[in-house]
Amino acid sequence: MKAKKELIRVIKTPEEEVLLDATGKKNGRGAYLCFSDACLQKARRSKALERSLKISIPDEIYDRLEEELRQIDTERQDAVPAGAGSEGR
């Protein structure tokens, strides 16, 4: 279990499109993943997203989600000030 802010939402829109929702506010059925490629790969192998979103997800969509996740993760890391998160270690 992780805090909601440590996760990214994957949604199925009313038009049956599967998207990453970095804001967590888009309309649609949602499932949550951690911000790691390994987490997405595990969900892909186990078909966890397909069960949660109640839709079949083709490989092309997973590939696009991987790329979007990398981009969002890069943006998140760029937004973290230098030295942040190292307190208490």
Side-chain angles (χ1 to χ4, degrees):
M1 299 293 282
K2 292 188 177 204
K4 199 173 185 179
K5 289 186 178 206
E6 295 177 37
L7 303 172
I8 188 157
R9 189 167 179 241
V10 180
I11 64 163
K12 177 184 77 171
T13 67
E15 295 80 27
E16 302 288 310
E17 188 176 9
V18 178
L19 306 169
L20 289 181
D21 177 13
T23 65
K25 297 179 181 182
K26 290 183 181 175
N27 204 15
R29 182 176 188 86
Y32 289 87
L33 288 174
C34 56
F35 279 97
S36 80
D37 192 49
C39 201
L40 181 58
Q41 292 304 320
K42 184 177 179 183
R44 186 179 196 167
R45 283 191 308 273
S46 67
K47 299 191 183 286
L49 286 177
E50 294 184 36
R51 285 192 308 274
S52 293
L53 300 177
K54 298 181 180 180
I55 190 171
S56 178
I57 303 175
D59 288 337
E60 299 81 37
I61 300 295
Y62 277 112
D63 295 341
R64 185 176 49 86
L65 291 176
E66 286 176 24
E67 184 57 39
E68 286 180 38
L69 183 62
R70 281 188 209 106
Q71 183 178 355
I72 290 169
D73 192 37
T74 300
E75 291 169 5
R76 283 181 66 229
Q77 289 184 14
D78 289 346
V80 175
S86 60
E87 298 84 4
R89 288 189 179 172

